[in-house]
Amino acid sequence: MIWLIMVATGIFTFGTRFIMLNRVAERELPPWLVEALNFVPIAVLTAIIVPAVLIDPVSQSFSILDNQRLFAALIAVTVALITRQVITTIGAGLTTLWILEWLV
Amino acid sequence: MSGARDTADVPAKAPSAVDEFWQGVRDELPLMFGVIPFGLVFGVIGIESGLTIVQTILMSSILFGGASQVVFAQLWAAGVPAPIVGSSVCVINIRHVLYSASIASYLKHLSLGWRFLLGYLLTDEAYAVSIRRFTNGYPGKFQHFHLLGSGSLLWASWQASTIAGVVVGETIPESWSLTFAIPLTFIAIIAPIMRTRAELAAAVSAGSLAIIGQPLPWNSWLIIAALGGIATGWLVHRHDNAKRRNQ
């Protein structure tokens, strides 16, 4: 089953990259669709980030106060805004989390 | 690159196919700082999510899209029904239509084989460097070799870092909380590009819906939050544009 889904989504993904390179798709995308598609990365990635930070992976409970991952994520946002580098952001976030877990 | 001499040299020596290919590779190099750690993280996460070594490694060439692969592994590990896993991956990857549309005028004249190959290589990172070359560079007839260069380097480094991550992932203890690297990677991608009120609105509504929607069946919160975020961002964008026009 996993292979079926992998191949199907793989073909779909290839299709999204290939489709407009064809003479068949001579028409331009409607402007409203282009505008909407611009929001896809921000909407999807935020929808993954927020629960991963606010919901405890073990107890599945929601917490804002006394949440080490939230603090680590805020440090990561700051580092991301300053350095604009994936590696430093991951490093800062993980190090903060490790220090907090070690302290508490 | 300045002065009249450089400008005068342009028509005499247009870049060859090999020049363009290596220019693409060189332009892609700085992006390796983001791609290689991301590939490593995916390799580790694939294994930790319970995918086999072969599944994790082959996903990097079958799907070839970082964020979507991570989501695939995460949802699959959570026991989410296959159709929901599939449609979540599709929603994430639909943005490529934009790249395809925007780069089409430079590639449409190529043979079907070329368009297949370059379509397959059209990732966020390869698109980002090659569209800059196409719009600002020499309009030479070997232009497309630039995308072949940037795309090939990206492909090779993505495969290699996935394999490295799989090898490392087998030995990393769970207590290291390495799965937290996923949200951190995504923070690194979106925090610097968040600019407008509309983008902020898209993020806030997607984040809130993702929390509120947690009890929904089949982990459908992801699709609902994504679509809600896109719709909110688009409406705010429209509203702000209309206001600007009226001023």
Side-chain angles (χ1 to χ4, degrees):
Chain A
M1 191 55 167
I2 188 167
W3 287 111
L4 183 71
I5 301 297
M6 212 191 289
V7 170
T9 52
I11 291 172
F12 178 88
T13 304
F14 170 74
T16 62
R17 291 169 170 153
F18 176 69
I19 185 163
M20 301 307 288
L21 305 183
N22 281 287
R23 269 160 266 250
V24 202
E26 207 61 68
R27 279 187 47 209
E28 303 241 310
L29 289 177
W32 67 267
L33 186 59
V34 174
E35 286 171 16
L37 286 175
N38 274 321
F39 291 100
V40 171
I42 285 178
V44 172
L45 298 183
T46 313
I48 296 167
I49 293 168
V50 174
V53 172
L54 296 183
I55 295 173
D56 189 282
V58 181
S59 69
Q60 293 291 313
S61 61
F62 172 84
S63 69
I64 288 183
L65 303 166
D66 191 29
N67 182 337
Q68 298 167 347
R69 276 165 297 111
L70 177 57
F71 189 77
L74 292 176
I75 297 286
V77 169
T78 315
V79 172
L81 288 174
I82 297 168
T83 67
R84 296 163 170 264
Q85 293 270 327
V86 176
I87 189 78
T88 52
T89 306
I90 295 179
L94 279 182
T95 313
T96 309
L97 186 63
W98 289 335
I99 292 172
L100 289 174
E101 281 177 344
W102 179 72
L103 284 176
V104 178
Chain B
M1 294 292 260
S2 66
R5 226 195 55 135
D6 281 345
T7 327
D9 281 346
V10 172
K13 193 173 172 287
S16 69
V18 178
D19 290 344
E20 284 287 358
F21 180 87
W22 287 111
Q23 189 62 47
V25 170
R26 271 196 302 276
D27 289 347
E28 191 66 35
L29 265 181
L31 282 82
M32 294 296 102
F33 284 105
V35 170
I36 291 171
F38 197 1
L40 280 168
V41 167
F42 170 70
V44 172
I45 280 158
I47 296 298
E48 295 205 340
S49 309
L51 300 182
T52 66
I53 293 175
V54 178
Q55 286 166 349
T56 307
I57 291 174
L58 284 187
M59 196 188 285
S60 276
S61 43
I62 295 176
L63 261 182
F64 192 30
S68 66
Q69 292 177 221
V70 169
V71 168
F72 191 121
Q74 213 177 17
L75 295 184
W76 192 264
V80 173
I84 304 285
V85 178
S87 36
S88 301
V89 169
C90 292
V91 170
I92 294 170
N93 281 338
I94 203 144
R95 69 182 183 286
H96 293 109
V97 174
L98 267 187
Y99 306 153
S100 182
S102 119
I103 214 162
S105 61
Y106 304 98
L107 306 176
K108 263 184 181 163
H109 63 282
L110 298 170
S111 69
L112 184 64
W114 265 109
R115 282 179 287 130
F116 249 82
L117 178 62
L118 294 180
Y120 173 68
L121 293 175
L122 193 61
T123 53
D124 306 65
E125 291 86 355
Y127 166 79
V129 301
S130 287
I131 192 72
R132 220 178 302 155
R133 175 74 173 178
F134 292 169
T135 46
N136 305 334
Y138 303 92
K141 72 173 182 186
F142 297 118
Q143 233 179 1
H144 53 288
F145 277 86
H146 188 276
L147 180 56
L148 183 66
S150 62
S152 300
L153 175 64
L154 187 84
W155 188 86
S157 59
W158 185 244
Q159 307 309 322
S161 55
T162 301
I163 293 170
V166 165
V167 173
V168 176
E170 295 259 89
T171 63
I172 290 181
E174 221 169 283
S175 63
W176 283 18
S177 322
L178 264 196
T179 45
F180 194 59
I182 302 173
L184 293 174
T185 309
F186 294 163
I187 285 173
I189 295 174
I190 64 163
I193 59 168
M194 208 94 82
R195 285 273 167 275
T196 63
R197 237 167 58 100
E199 286 164 346
L200 208 63
V204 169
S205 74
S208 316
L209 284 170
I211 294 294
I212 299 166
Q214 286 295 317
L216 292 173
W218 320 303
N219 279 30
S220 48
W221 56 267
L222 179 57
I223 291 181
I224 289 168
L227 295 177
I230 294 164
T232 310
W234 182 72
L235 287 172
V236 173
H237 173 81
R238 284 257 136 155
H239 175 259
D240 285 357
N241 269 4
K243 225 169 45 185
R244 211 170 303 141
R245 267 197 299 274
N246 289 337
Q247 270 165 7

